[in-house]
Amino acid sequence: MYLKLLRDFQRERVYVWEDEFVVDDDEKVPRKYLRELFFWLCVKFDVTGSLTFRDHEISLHDEGKILLCRKHEKVSVLLHEFTHLIIWDMCEDADILHVPHGREWLSLYIILLNRVMGYDLLELITSAKKHKLKLNIQQVMKYGRKTRYSIQA
C-alpha cells in the first residue's frame, strides 16, 4: 500500500518548539528503559514496530521501525518517533493522506508528553500555540491527563 505524504508545513516550527520546551528537560536514559517504554507503548496502542539504536547523526521512523542515534537516547525523542509510527500505522491502514508533523501528529505527541513525561497539558498547548503550531485542542484536552503516570524501569 502506498502511503501518501502531504507537505510537512510545520516541521521546522515543531523542532524549534521541542528545542525550547521539551528537550531541555529530557536527559539521556538507559537503553533498557527505552526498550521497556517502547514495548509498553506498542502494547498500549496495539501497534507493531521495532526499536534500534545506531551510530548515526539523526533519529528517525521508517515504516514501523524507529532508529535512535546515541545522542537521542531520550524519552522525548522516542515519543516523537513513536508518534510518527502510530500516525503512519493509522494512515497506512486507512490509505489516507498523512502530514508528518501535522495537526493529528502534534496532538498525539502532546498527549504522550503529558501522559508519559508528566508535562502540564495547558503549558504544552500554550507553548505550541505561541509557536503557531496547529493541533486539535479538543482531542488533547479529552485524552490528556492532569496527573502523571509512567512505567517503572
Side-chain angles (χ1 to χ4, degrees):
M1 185 175 300
Y2 176 71
L3 183 63
K4 301 173 193 86
L5 294 175
L6 293 175
R7 185 171 161 266
D8 198 355
F9 62 94
Q10 62 183 22
R11 177 181 179 202
E12 295 305 318
R13 290 193 308 265
V14 165
Y15 291 158
V16 169
W17 171 72
E18 282 180 310
D19 286 344
E20 291 178 13
F21 192 81
V22 178
V23 178
D24 287 346
D25 293 342
D26 198 10
E27 299 177 2
K28 192 172 176 181
V29 295
R31 288 179 176 182
K32 180 182 179 197
Y33 178 80
L34 292 172
R35 280 191 184 98
E36 289 175 1
L37 178 58
F38 176 76
F39 176 73
W40 180 77
L41 289 166
C42 285
V43 170
K44 193 86 172 151
F45 286 90
D46 192 27
V47 295
T48 303
S50 65
L51 174 63
T52 304
F53 300 97
R54 65 187 190 149
D55 292 324
H56 201 274
E57 286 298 309
I58 60 170
S59 295
L60 56 89
H61 162 260
D62 182 33
E63 296 187 10
K65 300 174 192 153
I66 294 176
L67 308 168
L68 290 184
C69 70
R70 286 185 191 269
K71 70 179 181 180
H72 290 158
E73 292 177 6
K74 300 176 177 186
V75 174
S76 65
V77 177
L78 177 61
L79 295 178
H80 178 117
E81 299 304 335
F82 188 79
T83 305
H84 285 302
L85 187 147
I86 294 170
I87 298 295
W88 176 83
D89 186 66
M90 290 170 28
C91 291
E92 182 187 46
D93 286 350
D95 195 27
I96 59 175
L97 299 175
H98 170 224
V99 179
H101 295 93
R103 181 184 308 264
E104 294 80 12
W105 179 90
L106 183 61
S107 300
L108 180 55
Y109 182 47
I110 284 176
I111 292 165
L112 289 175
L113 288 170
N114 165 251
R115 295 180 83 171
V116 176
M117 295 186 71
Y119 282 100
D120 182 82
L121 199 58
L122 295 178
E123 287 179 18
L124 286 164
I125 293 168
T126 301
S127 66
K129 295 306 262 177
K130 282 182 184 174
H131 283 81
K132 300 187 182 340
L133 295 171
K134 300 198 182 312
L135 66 148
N136 184 331
I137 294 174
Q138 291 79 18
Q139 178 185 11
V140 171
M141 293 303 292
K142 180 177 179 180
Y143 295 106
R145 297 213 171 169
K146 304 293 186 228
T147 58
R148 177 183 183 171
Y149 75 88
S150 64
I151 65 168
Q152 299 297 317

